[in-house]
Structures are given as C-alpha cells and as structure tokens.
C-alpha cells in the first residue's frame, strides 16, 4: 500500500480493447492527472499474449452453452508480464490487487474506492464474450467487484468507472481537495442540494440561509439536507446510530425524521393506491 508521501497510483488494465480504455480516460480530471504524473495508466492487450498465430483468445466452453469463453493462457501470460513490469519499476507485483469486474462481485462503493486509492498498483481484468476460464480467475484474482446488477458487453466500462472514482481520491488529482472529501457519500450521506446564480430562477428561490453569510448556519443546513435527502432517496444507507454521537446531530436527526414523515405523507396523498 502506498504511503502518504507516495500517493501515486498506477492503473494496469488487461483488456481486448485497450484504445477504448485509454481514450475514455484521457479527458477531464483523469486525463489531466495522467499528464501531471499523479496517476498512470497502462493498457495491456490480452490478444498480444496468445500463442495462436491467428491471435485467437477464446474458445467454446466445456459442457456446451451459448457464446465463447476467454481462454486462461493469454490472460495469465498478460497478467504475468504486467507483474514483471511492476516489479521492474520498484513495486511488488505479486502483492498487487487484481480486480475482476463482474456482476458476481461485491458492489463497488465509495469506501472501496478509498481503500483502492491507497494502493501503489491496481490491476483490472476485463472480461468479454461469456466470461473467462474459471481456472485463471482462481489463480490471479484478488477482488471480484461489480458496479451494479446488470450485464454489459465487457468489463472495460466498469473498469473505467472505478478508475475514475478511485482517481478522485488520490491526493492532488482534484484541484479542490475538499471536493473529494465532502461530495456525495461523505459520512454515508448523499450530497446536499447546491445552487448558483441567479438567486431566483423560474420563480424558485435559493434558500435564504445560503445567502445569509452565516457559515455555521450554512454548515448545519447542508448537513440536515444531506441527512434528509439520504433518508428520502437512499434509506438503505441511512443509519440513525451515526447521528447519536453529538447533541447537534441528535437535534438534526429529530428534525429530519419529522420532515421525512411529513414528506412521506404528502407523497402518499399524491399517489393513493
């Protein structure tokens, strides 16, 4: 794991479509971070490691079934070559996390992104077709991770989603360090509502407290709104015990619960069974 002084993260993506990954991450926040050398990206074409003279990397699955399966040999050889390069660069390739993106894995969350952001090297394995030979997965994968309960054509898009989320938590990647800490999912809360100019738009006004200049009132308003929004939109994330540690939080919790009950009652009136 990287130390605070060594916060550089190297992403290594094993894929059949390296251009898709490199081009998709070359813009915006990640692109700028690559240019500055804060993070790095290596895409490894699994096809380059096949022993087939026709560059074949897939075959029919034993036992029958629809579709083709990626073979173990090219995946493993691509992985070993990546480990060797990590070792040559001063890292420990044998201990690098190998993340296989699959709907069968643990659901990717912000706390997982924070954990991965502390690693020096992360290897992503992107499947395609009907998946990858189970034997090589058993041999190399350390983490099975999903971005949701649905099926995509390949693992490239999920890998890019995770790399983007992880990169934001690497020091110096974001120009405003506070934005990584206090945006959505901080303290297991969704982000509070935000507003910009003008103060009135389509007869909708920016809340007066945000224009008051009172920083403490603004802080409390934002926390309360984050709590209420989480309870309304992601009740699975909301835990009352998280707000029992301080008197201000307990008071906010009581206010939020009252407003939530009123909100739920109004929703039931608008949508009667």
């Amino acid at each position: 794991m990287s130390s605070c002084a060594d916060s550089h993260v190297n992403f290594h993506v094993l894929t059949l479509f390296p251009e898709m990954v490199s081009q998709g991450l070359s813009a915006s926040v990640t692109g700028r971070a690559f240019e500055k050398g804060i993070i790095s990206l290596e895409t490894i074409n699994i096809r380059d490691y096949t022993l087939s003279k026709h560059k074949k990397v897939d075959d029919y699955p034993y036992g029958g079934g629809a579709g083709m399966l990626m073979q173990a040999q090219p995946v493993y050889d691509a992985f070993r070559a990546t480990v060797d390069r990590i070792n040559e660069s001063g890292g420990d390739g044998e201990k690098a996390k190998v993340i296989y993106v699959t709907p069968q894995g643990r659901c990717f969350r912000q706390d997982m992104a924070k954990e991965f952001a502390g690693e020096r090297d992360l290897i992503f394995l992107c499947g395609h077709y009907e998946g990858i030979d189970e034997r090589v997965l058993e041999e190399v994968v350390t983490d099975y991770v999903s971005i949701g309960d649905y099926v995509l054509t390949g693992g490239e898009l999920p890998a890019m989603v995770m790399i983007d989320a992880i990169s934001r938590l690497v020091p110096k990647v974001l120009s405003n360090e506070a934005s990584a800490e206090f945006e959505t999912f901080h303290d297991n809360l969704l982000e509070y509502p935000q507003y910009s100019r003008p103060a009135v738009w389509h007869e909708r006004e920016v809340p007066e407290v945000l224009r008051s200049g009172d920083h403490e009132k603004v802080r409390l308003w934002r926390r309360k709104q984050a709590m209420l929004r989480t309870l309304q939109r992601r009740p699975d994330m909301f835990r009352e015990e998280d707000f029992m540690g301080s008197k201000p939080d307990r008071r906010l919790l009581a206010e939020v619960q009252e407003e939530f009950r009123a909100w739920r009652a109004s929703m039931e009136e608008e949508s009667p069974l």
Side-chain angles (χ1 to χ4, degrees):
M1 180 172 289
S2 300
S3 67
C4 293
D6 177 24
S7 57
H8 184 98
V9 179
N10 307 293
F11 299 102
H12 313 267
V13 183
L14 308 181
T15 172
L16 295 178
F17 301 94
E19 296 84 3
M20 178 180 179
V21 176
S22 58
Q23 291 176 8
L25 293 170
S26 64
S28 190
V29 171
T30 51
R32 290 193 295 272
F34 292 142
E35 292 175 359
K36 294 177 181 177
I38 303 170
I39 56 177
S40 70
L41 174 67
E42 176 192 25
T43 55
I44 301 95
N45 192 336
I46 296 171
R47 202 177 297 277
D48 291 341
Y49 293 87
T50 181
L51 300 179
S52 166
K53 64 180 181 180
H54 299 297
K55 296 294 182 181
K56 184 179 179 182
V57 296
D58 61 325
D59 209 330
Y60 293 102
Y62 277 109
M68 306 289 278
L69 200 67
M70 289 177 64
Q71 296 170 292
Q73 174 272 314
V75 171
Y76 183 76
D77 287 357
F79 162 75
R80 288 307 318 173
T82 303
V83 167
D84 290 344
R85 284 192 294 275
I86 292 173
N87 292 337
E88 291 168 2
S89 69
D92 189 345
E94 305 296 339
K95 293 184 178 180
K97 286 187 177 293
V98 181
I99 301 164
Y100 179 49
V101 288
T102 167
Q104 298 181 20
R106 290 185 298 147
C107 189
F108 185 65
R109 295 172 58 92
Q110 188 73 0
D111 56 353
M112 196 184 300
K114 188 173 183 179
E115 174 192 342
F116 287 154
E119 299 292 326
R120 180 189 187 274
D121 293 277
L122 291 170
I123 302 173
F124 287 85
L125 174 57
C126 302
H128 211 68
Y129 308 117
E130 293 302 309
I132 300 177
D133 190 307
E134 185 69 19
R135 292 168 294 184
V136 70
L137 298 179
E138 293 173 350
E139 190 147 340
V140 308
V141 173
T142 62
D143 295 83
Y144 294 80
V145 183
S146 166
I147 64 166
D149 295 333
Y150 47 87
V151 178
L152 298 173
T153 303
E156 287 76 17
L157 288 174
M160 291 160 63
V161 166
M162 286 187 267
I163 290 172
D164 185 285
I166 295 165
S167 298
R168 297 174 61 85
L169 299 175
V170 176
K172 300 182 181 179
V173 166
L174 294 180
S175 56
N176 180 5
E177 295 293 338
S179 63
E181 186 67 15
F182 293 104
E183 58 188 9
T184 294
F185 301 126
H186 175 64
D187 282 349
N188 287 323
L189 293 175
L190 300 183
E191 192 172 29
Y192 47 79
Q194 299 204 60
Y195 304 86
S196 185
R197 294 175 179 170
V200 180
W201 179 81
H202 283 202
E203 300 182 358
R204 296 174 182 266
E205 294 188 19
V206 174
E208 178 63 30
V209 64
L210 298 181
R211 295 179 280 162
S212 68
D214 188 320
H215 298 299
E216 179 60 15
K217 287 184 178 179
V218 169
R219 186 190 69 81
L220 290 173
W221 181 89
R222 285 175 168 173
R223 183 156 180 80
K224 178 180 176 180
Q225 293 303 313
M227 293 166 64
L228 181 59
R229 176 163 287 187
T230 304
L231 191 55
Q232 290 172 334
R233 300 184 181 181
R234 288 293 303 274
D236 58 301
M237 292 173 52
F238 194 86
R239 299 178 302 189
E240 290 187 12
E241 57 268 27
D242 290 343
F243 311 103
M244 302 305 292
S246 70
K247 187 175 181 180
D249 266 357
R250 290 195 296 272
R251 184 173 64 249
L252 287 178
L253 177 61
E255 294 176 4
V256 164
Q257 289 173 327
E258 183 178 352
E259 291 187 23
F260 175 72
R261 285 192 291 268
W263 171 81
R264 187 168 56 183
S266 67
M267 295 295 290
E268 290 174 351
E269 288 177 5
E270 292 178 6
S271 303
L273 294 178

